[in-house]
């Protein structure tokens, strides 16, 4: 029977790395997600074993277990029983069934993570603390927005205060990043030749070759309600008044941000953004303002693609800044909203009545600069090509195009962006690809990716087996009956 896309003919000895790669989508993505990270054992899932139970069944999935103790040591790192427990919780939070996943399998994955991190330190791989701290601030902002307060976040993580939560997250995130960078270093120079790709494909029996899911190519035209000059000037005037109030009357900038800023990530923190560097992926105008000010200075109102701001430099630390800002959006009148909706309805009419092609209409009318010049063609953010797997694409986009025929145009769709502003769009399917068994010529790029991943995984296995021999590894006797894919027990 043909296999789905997750194929790759590997033996039972294949590393658990592959298993997790299939769950996460790509083995060597920009951020490698590991499972002993931010998951927290809560009262419903962290059940304590009865005192009479001395040895846990490591072949069974997560049920009842003790929530403390050392499972293994790898180099400078310790794997706790609670790390395995958190792994189950995180998998469940991601909607992954844990019924077939054993503690042995999860321990093996955690051992791999620690091995990578240990050798990343030996190889002097550096992950700047500032980057980790920035990541933690983003995590904190998200958690606070979800749970409401810092106290609730600390309670969720079973910590006395938010500082303890940040300390734990720092260690976890640092280990994850080190492991990720070590993995990348192992496979960075691996390339694959056309002959290797050909051999990979034709070595797979014909009835076992992968089946690629149905795919579509999608284009869209977006019309945004115009923001008039009066609305923009009103926002500029409000920000200028706030600036004047802080400078002349000593009002707290942080208070202004809490009361008025529309930035959900920083408003609750008084508009504070820490660790801003020149290469931080913020709007150019934002960074230009930040690095033109002295400590304590406040900018004039300025515009970015996200809205209008005023910005104050809180602290200068060499090439890093801590800043506060207030973000406001201009009001959009109902008249301009109605005008934009009428415009896109007329564009749709012209396309349906074949007065203009969809691609030409996109180039002529669309307000979405990222897609306008390509005739509205969308690019898959995961694969960076124009094809979207119908089983993996964004659910909202999938619902809009799933039943469309090639060339058919949707009715007008209404979206709201992060500012709450309405925008209108129409979509079309420019090309459909049916589910099919892999074809060497037609699916060459996909086959190439699979062949490269197989070669990368083999390189990882070789590196891992070598490093296990060179590294201090001690696995708790509770796990001596595990059948690990790698020799973690060292035949102990």
């Amino acid at each position: 029977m043909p296999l789905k896309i997750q194929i790759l003919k590997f033996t039972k000895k294949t590393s658990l790395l592959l298993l997790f790669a299939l769950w996460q989508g790509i083995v060597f993505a920009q951020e490698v997600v590991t499972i002993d990270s931010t998951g927290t054992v809560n009262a419903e899932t962290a059940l304590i074993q009865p005192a009479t139970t001395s040895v846990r069944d490591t072949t069974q999935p997560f049920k009842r277990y003790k929530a403390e103790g050392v499972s293994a040591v790898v180099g400078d790192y310790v794997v706790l029983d609670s790390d395995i427990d958190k792994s189950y919780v995180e998998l469940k939070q991601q909607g992954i069934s844990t019924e077939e996943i054993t503690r042995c399998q999860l321990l093996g994955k955690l051992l791999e993570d620690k091995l990578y991190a240990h050798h990343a330190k030996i190889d002097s791989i550096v992950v700047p603390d500032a980057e980790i701290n920035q990541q933690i601030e983003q995590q904190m902002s998200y958690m606070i927005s979800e749970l409401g307060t810092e106290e609730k976040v600390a309670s969720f993580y079973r910590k006395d205060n938010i500082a303890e939560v940040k300390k734990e997250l720092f260690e976890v995130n640092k280990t994850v990043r080190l492991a990720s960078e070590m993995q990348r270093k192992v496979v960075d120079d691996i390339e694959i030749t056309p002959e290797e790709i050909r051999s990979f494909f034709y070595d797979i029996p014909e009835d076992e070759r992968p089946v690629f899911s149905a795919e579509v190519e999608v284009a869209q035209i977006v019309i945004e309600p115009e923001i008039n000059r009066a609305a923009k000037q009103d926002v500029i005037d409000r920000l200028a008044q706030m600036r004047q109030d802080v400078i002349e009357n000593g009002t707290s900038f942080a208070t202004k941000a809490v009361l008025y800023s529309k930035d959900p990530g920083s408003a609750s923190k008084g508009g504070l953004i820490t660790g801003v560097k020149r290469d931080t992926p913020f709007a150019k105008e934002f960074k230009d303002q930040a690095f033109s000010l002295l400590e304590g200075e406040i900018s004039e109102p300025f515009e970015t693609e996200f809205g209008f701001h005023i910005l104050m430099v809180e602290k200068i630390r060499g090439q890093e800044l801590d800043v506060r800002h207030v973000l406001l959006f201009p009001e959009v009148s109902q008249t301009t909203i109605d005008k934009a909706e009428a415009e896109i309805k007329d564009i749709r009419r012209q396309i349906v009545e074949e007065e203009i092609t969809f691609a030409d209409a996109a180039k002529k009318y669309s307000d979405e600069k990222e897609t306008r010049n390509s005739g509205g063609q969308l690019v898959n953010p995961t694969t960076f090509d124009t094809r979207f797997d119908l089983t993996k694409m964004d659910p909202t986009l999938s619902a809009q195009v799933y039943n469309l025929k090639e060339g058919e145009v949707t009715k007008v769709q209404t979206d709201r962006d992060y500012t709450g502003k309405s925008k209108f769009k129409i979509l079309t399917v420019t090309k459909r690809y049916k589910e099919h068994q892999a074809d060497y010529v037609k699916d060459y790029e996909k086959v190439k990716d699979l062949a490269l991943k197989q070669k990368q995984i083999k390189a990882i296995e070789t590196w891992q087996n070598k490093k296990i021999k060179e590294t201090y590894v001690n696995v708790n006797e509770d796990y001596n009956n595990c059948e690990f894919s790698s020799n973690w027990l060292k035949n102990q």
Side-chain angles (χ1 to χ4, degrees):
M1 179 182 294
L3 302 176
K4 290 288 186 183
I5 189 71
Q6 297 101 304
I7 55 125
L8 291 194
K9 272 187 55 199
F10 297 121
T11 65
K12 292 182 180 179
K13 293 184 67 178
T14 298
S15 163
L16 251 186
L17 175 66
L18 176 59
L19 175 62
F20 279 79
L22 299 182
W23 288 339
Q24 301 298 342
I26 294 180
V27 181
F28 307 106
Q30 190 67 23
E31 285 294 333
V32 175
V33 180
T34 49
I35 342 209
D36 64 331
S37 54
T38 59
T40 302
V41 183
N42 58 39
E44 294 182 0
T45 55
L47 302 176
I48 307 301
Q49 276 197 156
T52 55
T53 303
S54 58
V55 178
R56 126 193 0 78
D57 185 354
T58 55
T59 64
Q60 294 302 312
F62 170 60
K63 290 182 181 177
R64 293 178 177 267
Y65 48 84
K66 62 185 181 184
E68 59 205 14
V70 175
S71 297
V73 178
V74 179
D76 297 334
Y77 290 91
V78 173
V79 180
L80 301 176
D81 285 349
S82 57
D83 291 333
I84 304 175
D85 304 339
K86 290 175 185 178
S87 298
Y88 278 110
V89 174
E90 285 202 2
L91 289 174
K92 287 184 175 181
Q93 289 173 344
Q94 295 173 33
I96 297 171
S97 172
T98 60
E99 290 301 313
E100 302 298 324
I101 301 173
T102 68
R103 293 182 70 81
C104 288
Q105 290 174 319
L106 289 184
L107 176 59
K109 177 61 174 65
L110 294 175
L111 291 171
E112 290 181 4
D113 292 339
K114 305 307 182 188
L115 184 71
Y116 295 134
H118 175 72
H119 283 280
K121 287 185 176 181
I122 293 176
D123 289 2
S124 300
I125 292 176
V126 177
V127 175
D129 288 354
E131 292 184 12
I132 303 300
N133 287 327
Q134 184 176 344
Q135 184 178 350
I136 291 171
E137 289 302 321
Q138 293 171 348
Q139 290 173 335
M140 287 292 98
S141 296
Y142 173 76
M143 293 296 293
I144 291 169
S145 68
E146 289 292 305
L147 299 178
T149 66
E150 289 186 353
E151 290 73 18
K152 288 183 178 179
V153 173
S155 176
F156 179 83
Y157 278 91
R158 295 192 167 187
K159 300 296 181 183
D160 293 334
N161 52 61
I162 204 71
E164 291 185 6
V165 176
K166 289 183 177 180
K167 182 178 179 181
E168 178 173 307
L169 288 181
F170 182 89
E171 295 303 323
V172 168
N173 288 342
K174 189 71 175 278
T175 302
V176 168
R177 285 293 302 280
L178 285 170
S180 171
E181 293 304 315
M182 190 68 245
Q183 285 182 351
R184 200 182 327 278
K185 182 178 179 181
V186 173
V187 301
D188 253 353
D189 297 328
I190 294 178
E191 297 179 346
I192 194 160
T193 66
E195 184 55 38
E196 287 176 312
I197 298 167
R198 181 180 179 83
S199 296
F200 165 81
F201 182 80
Y202 287 107
D203 282 347
I204 303 173
E206 190 170 343
D207 61 348
E208 295 181 17
R209 286 176 187 161
V211 172
F212 294 116
S213 300
E215 295 176 310
V216 291
E217 293 183 343
V218 180
Q220 67 181 23
I221 297 172
V222 177
I223 300 296
E224 299 180 1
E226 182 180 2
I227 300 173
N228 59 39
R229 289 185 179 180
K232 290 183 178 181
Q233 190 60 51
D234 178 62
V235 168
I236 292 171
D237 292 343
R238 289 175 60 197
L239 289 169
Q241 181 58 49
M242 290 183 201
R243 179 180 184 272
Q244 183 179 358
D245 200 19
V246 174
I247 293 173
E248 297 184 1
N249 302 322
T251 304
S252 167
F253 191 103
T255 300
K256 294 289 188 185
V258 170
L259 292 175
Y260 303 112
S261 183
K262 301 301 182 183
D263 178 9
S266 70
S268 64
K269 299 181 291 185
L272 182 65
I273 302 174
T274 60
V276 178
K277 297 188 292 187
R278 292 187 184 276
D279 60 352
T280 302
F282 289 167
K284 179 181 183 298
E285 301 87 348
F286 189 95
K287 290 189 290 186
D288 287 347
Q289 289 288 335
F291 284 95
S292 69
L293 299 172
L294 298 176
E295 197 169 291
E297 280 193 309
I298 304 174
S299 74
E300 297 285 349
F302 64 95
E303 184 179 7
T304 71
E305 61 183 301
F306 302 102
F308 289 82
H309 313 248
I310 52 173
L311 180 150
M312 181 181 78
V313 174
E314 179 91 357
K315 187 75 175 176
I316 298 176
R317 298 193 306 275
Q319 296 301 308
E320 277 189 20
L321 307 177
D322 293 343
V323 302
R324 294 184 187 272
H325 81 130
V326 176
L327 171 66
L328 296 181
F329 311 129
E331 294 292 333
V332 181
S333 69
Q334 188 60 47
T335 301
T336 58
I337 292 174
D338 293 343
K339 181 181 176 182
E341 186 174 14
E343 180 182 355
I344 199 165
K345 284 181 177 178
D346 185 60
I347 293 169
R348 182 182 186 278
R349 178 195 62 76
Q350 292 180 54
I351 296 169
V352 171
E353 294 180 4
E354 299 184 353
E355 295 178 13
I356 190 172
T357 66
F358 194 100
D360 287 344
K363 293 174 183 176
K364 185 175 182 179
Y365 299 114
S366 184
D367 290 327
E368 188 172 64
K369 59 183 180 181
E370 295 85 0
T371 62
R372 182 171 55 218
N373 292 335
S374 63
Q377 198 75 52
L378 297 182
V379 174
N380 188 326
T382 302
T383 61
F384 303 106
D385 63 19
T386 56
R387 292 190 182 190
F388 290 82
D389 185 330
L390 280 170
T391 65
K392 298 177 183 177
M393 67 192 303
D394 176 80
T396 301
L397 180 60
S398 176
Q400 292 168 338
V401 303
Y402 194 87
N403 293 317
L404 280 187
K405 298 175 183 177
E406 276 189 24
E408 188 177 358
V409 181
T410 66
K411 294 182 179 180
V412 173
Q413 310 285 325
T414 304
D415 275 356
R416 291 189 183 275
D417 63 17
Y418 56 89
T419 71
K421 182 180 69 176
S422 296
K423 58 182 179 180
F424 303 97
K425 67 180 181 180
I426 52 176
L427 305 98
T428 188
V429 171
T430 57
K431 186 73 175 177
R432 275 190 173 274
Y433 302 88
K434 294 181 180 180
E435 179 178 281
H436 62 282
Q437 192 170 38
D439 179 277
Y440 180 71
V441 176
K442 294 180 180 178
D443 300 304
Y444 182 81
E445 288 302 320
K446 287 187 173 64
V447 174
K448 176 182 176 181
D449 288 343
L450 294 177
L452 179 60
K453 285 176 184 175
Q454 184 194 52
K455 190 172 181 179
Q456 288 172 332
I457 288 171
K458 287 181 177 178
I460 284 284
E461 287 180 338
T462 300
W463 177 91
Q464 185 172 287
N465 290 332
K466 177 184 176 184
K467 295 302 181 182
I468 289 174
K469 294 177 181 178
E470 300 173 0
T471 308
Y472 174 77
V473 178
N474 186 278
V475 178
N476 188 294
E477 62 182 9
D478 285 355
Y479 297 91
N480 281 354
N481 63 338
C482 288
E483 295 183 6
F484 295 115
S485 58
S486 298
N487 188 24
W488 295 110
L489 297 176
K490 295 188 177 181
N491 300 319
Q492 65 187 48

